Amino acid sequence: MSNANSRSWGTEVSIRDLIDGKRQWRAHMARIRSLPLDYRIVYEEIQNYLFKVGPVSLTEGNLLSELADFFETGIATGIGVTELIGTDIATFCDDLIAGTPTYAERYYQTLPTEPRRRK
């Protein structure tokens, strides 16, 4: 990777980091595949929603791993997935990420507040 690319990302990303990230993602997805079907379907819908909304905590934190932990706890206690999160996935997701910035919000914060004037 060139220095120009690493500067634009803000951090140095090595091949090892990419391989480790891929390994962690595969392990996480193996965990998800081991969930009962109803939990797995809901997890995939939540993941799709969060990928569209783009909360920063999705990539900078452990949001999806914590969600898997939450689901595994629900399974262990015998609670159904709709009892655990409710029937509205979007509302659950919005509540889950309430107060956390999204990438869209970060982008809008970098825009000038005054529109540019044409010359």
Side-chain angles (χ1 to χ4, degrees):
M1 178 181 312
S2 72
N3 281 342
N5 285 341
S6 65
R7 265 185 267 128
S8 66
W9 286 2
T11 61
E12 190 79 24
V13 178
S14 70
I15 296 296
R16 176 61 45 208
D17 293 337
L18 295 174
I19 291 169
D20 289 345
K22 191 170 187 177
R23 186 176 296 123
Q24 290 171 359
W25 180 253
R26 285 183 176 165
H28 172 75
M29 290 311 296
R31 255 178 100 186
I32 300 308
R33 283 191 297 277
S34 72
L35 296 174
L37 182 60
D38 57 341
Y39 274 87
R40 196 168 55 238
I41 290 169
V42 170
Y43 174 87
E44 290 170 0
E45 290 299 317
I46 290 171
Q47 179 181 300
N48 289 338
Y49 184 89
L50 294 175
F51 282 174
K52 289 177 186 171
V53 173
V56 174
S57 58
L58 192 61
T59 57
E60 293 180 359
N62 297 319
L63 181 62
L64 294 177
S65 294
E66 291 170 1
L67 182 62
D69 293 341
F70 181 61
F71 278 10
E72 288 170 345
T73 301
I75 293 164
T77 57
I79 298 173
V81 69
T82 54
E83 292 175 77
L84 194 63
I85 71 158
T87 57
D88 189 345
I89 291 174
T91 300
F92 173 78
C93 291
D94 291 340
D95 291 344
L96 184 66
I97 61 171
T100 62
T102 64
Y103 285 105
E105 290 169 344
R106 277 192 176 177
Y107 172 72
Y108 287 125
Q109 289 173 352
T110 65
L111 296 176
T113 56
E114 295 292 322
R116 287 192 209 169
R117 296 183 185 197
R118 291 188 177 193
K119 294 182 180 182

